[in-house]
Amino acid sequence: MPGIKDAKSVLVIGATAGIGRALALAIHNLETKPTVIVSGRRQERLDEIATQGERIRTARVDLNTHHDNLKAFVEDILSNYPDLDTILLSSGIQHIFDFKKPETIDFKVLEAELNTNYLSIIKTIILFLPHFLKRSSEGKPSFIIPITSALASAPKPDVPNYCATKAALHSFDISLRAQLKGTNVHVLEIFPPLVESELHDHQGTTPALSKHWMPLDEYTKHTLEGLIRGDPDVTAGFSVGVFEKWEKGKREQVEQATFPSK
């Protein structure tokens, strides 16, 4: 089955920290020696990652932007890397909201979380699809690898909007995979548990969560193995049980569905 071992040119969006950074470095170190383009908001972080490998390139982008800027970013990437065959979408932000105190809800923060975690991700995928479908018609494989969360199926009440964005992206991934069935464009969804990261630092919950999260090195090892195998749903740790309980068989049922006739 096609997997990340077949990738030659990989764009990792959201590579400045956490899972994105770890996977970018792990993919770069594969024996197949792919080129890895790391992307994110913080140029200084991108520059630091670029020192970690000879085939690492950088491309700054803030996904929480107007779609015209996203289009320009995609066009620039494809101009510089015409053989790009993989996008791994790791960008994400998380905020705590207390709906018992609705007056405290900042709509701008709510909308930024929705845009960063969902809308900008699917816009980016759509913008890259013509390139990947052209590769498919030439018999070349491509990979779209979104990162969702076990919280897409088992939400955590204090971060309701984050969970909803991940649930939306997870649902989109399933439908996208079904629509692309029969092409050489492969959707591999990463479905992580709570993993060591900076995601929670601004919330002040890191000390408590660090007692329960999966160490990043351990998580990266398991996830890379799944990507190499070409697992359509890449789970690890706690997310294995969540997926088995709530998601097993759903993808297959959706893929068997037929589109309504016009």
Side-chain angles (χ1 to χ4, degrees), residues 214-226:
M214 191 173 188
L216 183 58
D217 288 347
E218 179 185 353
Y219 175 74
T220 303
K221 175 180 178 295
H222 286 294
T223 299
L224 187 65
E225 290 170 353

Side-chain angles (χ1 to χ4, degrees), residues 148-159:
T148 58
S149 172
L151 296 181
S153 299
K156 190 170 181 284
D158 62 340
V159 287

Side-chain angles (χ1 to χ4, degrees), residues 94-99 151 155-163 203 205 209:
Q94 185 184 98
H95 295 283
I96 293 173
F97 294 104
D98 184 354
F99 286 96
L151 296 181
K156 190 170 181 284
D158 62 340
V159 287
N161 195 49
Y162 177 85
C163 298
Q203 301 168 346
T205 56
L209 294 176

